[in-house]
Amino acid sequence: MSNESSKAGQEQVEEVVETVQENETGATETTAENVADVIDELTQANFRIEELEQALAEAEAKVAEQKDSVLRAAAESENVRRRAALDVEKAHKFALEKFANELLPVIDNMERALVGAENADDAIKPVLEGVELTLKTFISAVEKFGVKAVDPVGEAFNPEQHQAIGMQPSAEFPANTVMLVMQKGYLLNDRLLRPAMVMVSQGGASVDTQA
């Protein structure tokens, strides 16, 4: 009986061991499946993160491109506005340029008519006085629109506003100085309409020291 009992007990132990081993094998298989599932989920999550990061980068690039386009458009609009404002300003200042050029010969003729008025006969002095008054009124009127005479006697020669007809020695005027104005020049809002035609001094006349 004791041998049979021992044998039965050993069989029971073996059955328990097999059951434990089966349970361990099942648990191992379950753990492996869980790990595989987790890895698969992580892989999918990484793919999703990459997709989201790419979409975000594309969205940021599009926003940056649109922002640059908006800034360029705003800058271009501002440039157009400034150019238009300058064009309007120039148009206001120089719209009378052609008309003013047509008036200059009238002023020249009136000034020529007054040359030598002091020595004129008494019979025509009233006429010359009328011409002089008309000239003053005329000049005052054009000055209101920005027309200004260039009459540079005694000033240094300025090639931007003066046109030299010739040069002469002069003991009265330093070298490179306007000594005579043949015809006045005129500006329109500081822009040259016509240069003054002038004679320029060469400086003091040479003196012959030989006996």
Side-chain angles (χ1 to χ4, degrees):
M1 290 293 293
S2 59
N3 291 333
E4 292 178 356
S5 299
S6 299
K7 186 177 180 180
Q10 185 176 359
E11 290 177 353
Q12 291 178 350
V13 170
E14 290 177 352
E15 289 177 357
V16 170
V17 170
E18 289 178 357
T19 301
V20 171
Q21 288 177 346
E22 289 177 356
N23 291 337
E24 289 179 350
T25 302
T28 302
E29 291 177 353
T30 301
T31 302
E33 291 177 357
N34 291 339
V35 170
D37 290 341
V38 170
I39 291 175
D40 184 59
E41 290 178 359
L42 289 176
T43 302
Q44 292 180 0
N46 287 333
F47 286 151
R48 181 57 179 164
I49 290 172
E50 290 179 358
E51 291 176 354
L52 292 174
E53 288 178 345
Q54 183 177 0
L56 177 60
E58 292 175 353
E60 289 177 345
K62 187 173 182 180
V63 169
E65 181 180 357
Q66 292 178 346
K67 182 179 179 181
D68 184 65
S69 298
V70 170
L71 291 176
R72 288 177 180 272
E76 182 63 23
S77 176
E78 180 64 17
N79 290 335
V80 170
R81 187 191 67 79
R82 288 181 180 177
R83 286 196 297 268
L86 288 174
D87 290 341
V88 170
E89 183 180 359
K90 289 180 179 179
H92 286 163
K93 282 186 176 181
F94 307 117
L96 295 177
E97 182 174 355
K98 185 176 181 180
F99 180 65
N101 273 315
E102 295 295 328
L103 296 179
L104 298 186
V106 179
I107 297 175
D108 294 337
N109 291 332
M110 295 176 73
E111 288 179 339
R112 292 190 189 100
L114 295 174
V115 174
E118 295 180 357
N119 300 324
D121 296 337
D122 292 339
I124 64 172
K125 278 188 178 182
V127 177
L128 294 177
E129 289 175 358
V131 173
E132 184 177 7
L133 180 60
T134 302
L135 177 61
K136 288 180 180 180
T137 305
F138 194 81
I139 291 176
S140 177
V142 296
E143 284 179 348
K144 293 178 182 179
F145 292 93
V147 178
K148 181 181 178 182
V150 178
D151 190 10
V153 174
E155 298 179 6
F157 176 73
N158 179 3
E160 294 183 358
Q161 295 185 357
H162 310 155
Q163 180 178 347
I165 302 302
M167 299 185 70
Q168 291 182 355
S170 173
E172 181 181 358
F173 295 95
N176 206 39
T177 301
V178 175
M179 56 184 294
L180 181 64
V181 176
M182 318 296 289
Q183 184 183 66
K184 292 180 182 178
Y186 285 91
L187 303 172
L188 175 61
N189 293 315
D190 297 325
R191 178 171 166 176
L192 188 66
L193 280 176
R194 185 181 76 185
M197 299 174 65
V198 300
M199 185 67 69
V200 182
S201 170
Q202 291 179 334
S206 60
V207 179
D208 187 0
T209 58
Q210 293 182 355

